[in-house]
Amino acid sequence: MRCSECGTETDEQTVFCPKCGTLMVSQTLVNIAQVDSTRVLGGRYIVLSILGRGGMGAVYLAKDTQLDVVVAVKVLPQEIMGDLRAVEWMKEETRLARELRHDNIAAVYNFEIDASKQTAFIVMEFINGVDLHTLLARAAMSRLPPEMVAHILKGSARALDYAHSKRVIHRDVKPKNIMVRKDGTVKVTDFGIAKRLRDTMSKISQTVVAGTPAYMSPEHLEGKAVDWKADIYSLGATVYELLVGEPPYCGSSVELMYQILHTPVRAIAPEVVGGDSGKAERMTAVLRKCLSKNPGERYNSAEEFYNAFCEASGVKGESLHPFAQSEILSPLGMAVTEALALQRQTFSQTPPIVSPTPQTPFETPTIPKARLAVETSPPKKRSRIKVALIALVLLLLASSPILIPMLLPQKTVTETAEEKIPKLAVAEFLVEGDIGRTSAISLANAVAEKIKGDFNIVRPLDLKGILESLGLTVARLNDPE
């Protein structure tokens, strides 16, 4: 089997070309009669490959057999199916996203339910490209030149201004939610859906499911009402990272929040823009205006931000060129192709068929029940992270005088009296999964809020429940109390 784009020879099972990341056309010629029923969703969509997985579900490449097109299918956490209000919330958010029709916005087609598999999913446009987070990981010094950044900013600004004109706020603009195709087309993804999904999971689990605070505006972090100016701020934070190689603010959860609320944005170093100190100063001024703590001081639109960026950086704000004729898009396209090929190599084979039962590869992994026996050490060659929750909780809560007595040895009391004394039982777990760079701090914060807010007795199973609500697979190691 030969790749139609680069001519690379591959075997029959390959979904994406390992050299250029192109989808192999032969893989899209299947029909429902040819595949196992465990690879079919809703009697209509044939899953071809996994595209990504996170704490809020998994995304698959699939063929829509009714329309004969390739789509992306985002399978939601199973908890959604057990809550009728959650289903309605996600349906409403999908309806809003469907109304957005723009060249720089990833289209959302439908919200569907497969009752036989107890699975809810959202059908979206398949974008054969990479997100900016992945692109930066492959870029020299983890940053992009101002010309490429201006191109990405232009497409993103167009998408956001269009959505804002429709009274739709994204609320989660960040590198992970902006994609670039090999032809240079910029696509903003997850309009409102990711934020709604996190909020929904928080309500279901009654714990805090954190977002990505590094790109959140100050008013968003403080829990105030947000408008389009919050998206402008997040876009500025994203552009800053594209230029510098890291977000404008970094650190632990508490440090990060303090910086966003009180600390001025760091100046751009001249070496970022070829040693031109004047240009660096002008671009710093533009980004500081975009990242102002006061929403009223920010740019009024994403286009205004884009124009100011082009003027400060000396990049001509020209219209988009065809890929083959563009001096900017050619190196960008090559960078995307390289990153895409590397990313697709991991998912080059079709998903395994586990069983014809309702437990399918489209559902999130089943969380194992807590082990009552102590497990001395994790099995060898497992890609698991041993999380010492004792250290995390003590580190975060040590400053709270009301909780310190709980952690100290107590005298023996009668059962009746003991029931009235709040106590903290901490367990150590084996954890695997991915909930982002701030996962450990987010987890500790969630535990702290539960204890400080409700003054409840927190037992190992409560901690296990918090971990599971964050989309992690958990196995208990011990149960000291």
Side-chain angles (χ1 to χ4, degrees), residues 14-309:
T14 301
V15 178
F16 295 103
C17 174
K19 183 176 181 180
C20 67
T22 299
L23 175 64
M24 305 301 289
V25 177
S26 59
Q27 294 294 336
T28 67
L29 302 179
V30 296
N31 58 58
I32 291 181
Q34 296 174 320
V35 300
D36 191 284
S37 61
T38 60
R39 285 178 54 191
V40 179
L41 274 176
R44 172 176 178 175
Y45 303 97
I46 301 175
V47 170
L48 303 176
S49 175
I50 186 170
L51 297 175
R53 184 187 294 278
M56 291 293 104
V59 180
Y60 295 89
L61 173 70
K63 177 184 178 180
D64 182 344
T65 57
Q66 290 189 14
L67 299 180
D68 196 27
V69 294
V70 175
V71 295
V73 173
K74 184 179 183 67
V75 176
L76 304 179
Q78 287 181 290
E79 289 86 351
I80 298 290
M81 286 293 293
D83 191 308
L84 294 180
R85 293 183 304 168
V87 170
E88 290 305 314
W89 289 332
M90 294 310 303
K91 281 183 179 179
E92 177 60 26
E93 205 64 49
T94 302
R95 280 193 286 267
L96 292 174
R98 283 182 59 181
E99 299 300 318
L100 300 178
R101 290 288 183 263
H102 191 274
D103 291 341
N104 296 114
I105 295 178
V108 175
Y109 301 135
N110 206 4
F111 175 92
E112 300 197 25
I113 291 176
D114 187 327
S116 65
K117 294 182 172 67
Q118 288 294 297
T119 300
F121 57 97
I122 298 174
V123 184
M124 306 176 293
E125 174 187 3
F126 166 60
I127 302 169
N128 198 25
V130 295
D131 60 62
L132 298 183
H133 179 80
T134 302
L135 186 61
L136 281 177
R138 297 292 301 165
M141 301 182 71
S142 297
R143 62 191 190 214
L144 302 178
E147 294 78 15
M148 285 189 185
V149 175
H151 171 76
I152 293 170
L153 174 55
K154 183 171 187 176
S156 304
R158 285 179 167 181
L160 289 177
D161 282 346
Y162 168 80
H164 296 164
S165 71
K166 302 290 185 181
R167 299 182 181 277
V168 176
I169 311 300
H170 190 290
R171 298 179 292 177
D172 197 25
V173 177
K174 59 184 178 181
K176 275 283 189 182
N177 286 338
I178 300 176
M179 298 189 69
V180 184
R181 297 193 318 203
K182 291 195 290 184
D183 65 357
T185 302
V186 177
K187 294 276 190 176
V188 180
T189 67
D190 273 351
F191 262 90
I193 291 177
K195 177 67 165 56
R196 169 62 79 176
L197 183 55
R198 281 200 309 272
D199 292 346
T200 299
M201 293 302 294
S202 294
K203 292 175 182 177
I204 292 175
S205 62
Q206 297 184 359
T207 58
V208 177
V209 179
T212 314
Y215 310 96
M216 287 183 182
S217 64
E219 64 270 24
H220 194 169
L221 279 179
E222 292 179 311
K224 298 177 181 178
V226 299
D227 57 16
W228 80 97
K229 291 294 186 74
D231 281 350
I232 302 295
Y233 178 98
S234 299
L235 182 60
T238 298
V239 168
Y240 187 99
E241 182 173 3
L242 295 181
L243 287 170
V244 178
E246 60 182 19
Y249 302 109
C250 302
S252 66
S253 181
V254 175
E255 294 172 338
L256 188 59
M257 292 182 65
Y258 179 85
Q259 292 175 26
I260 292 174
L261 294 174
H262 303 290
T263 307
V265 176
R266 291 168 295 168
I268 294 177
E271 55 264 27
V272 172
V273 289
D276 190 332
S277 58
K279 182 184 293 186
E281 290 178 3
R282 294 193 299 271
M283 295 175 69
T284 297
V286 168
L287 287 168
R288 282 179 173 168
K289 178 177 175 65
C290 190
L291 295 168
S292 172
K293 316 296 182 189
N294 181 1
E297 296 176 357
R298 297 173 201 155
Y299 293 104
N300 289 319
S301 68
E303 182 182 10
E304 186 179 347
F305 170 39
Y306 164 73
N307 290 333
F309 179 89

Side-chain angles (χ1 to χ4, degrees), residues 54-57 76-80 197-210 364-365 367-368 431-432 434-435 439 442-447 450 460-474:
M56 291 293 104
L76 304 179
Q78 287 181 290
E79 289 86 351
I80 298 290
L197 183 55
R198 281 200 309 272
D199 292 346
T200 299
M201 293 302 294
S202 294
K203 292 175 182 177
I204 292 175
S205 62
Q206 297 184 359
T207 58
V208 177
V209 179
T364 52
I367 307 297
V431 180
E432 65 177 347
D434 179 19
I435 58 172
S439 58
S442 298
L443 171 60
N445 278 331
V447 176
K450 181 177 180 64
L461 288 182
D462 294 316
L463 295 175
K464 180 174 180 291
I466 292 173
L467 287 164
E468 292 178 357
S469 74
L470 294 175
L472 298 173
T473 303
V474 181

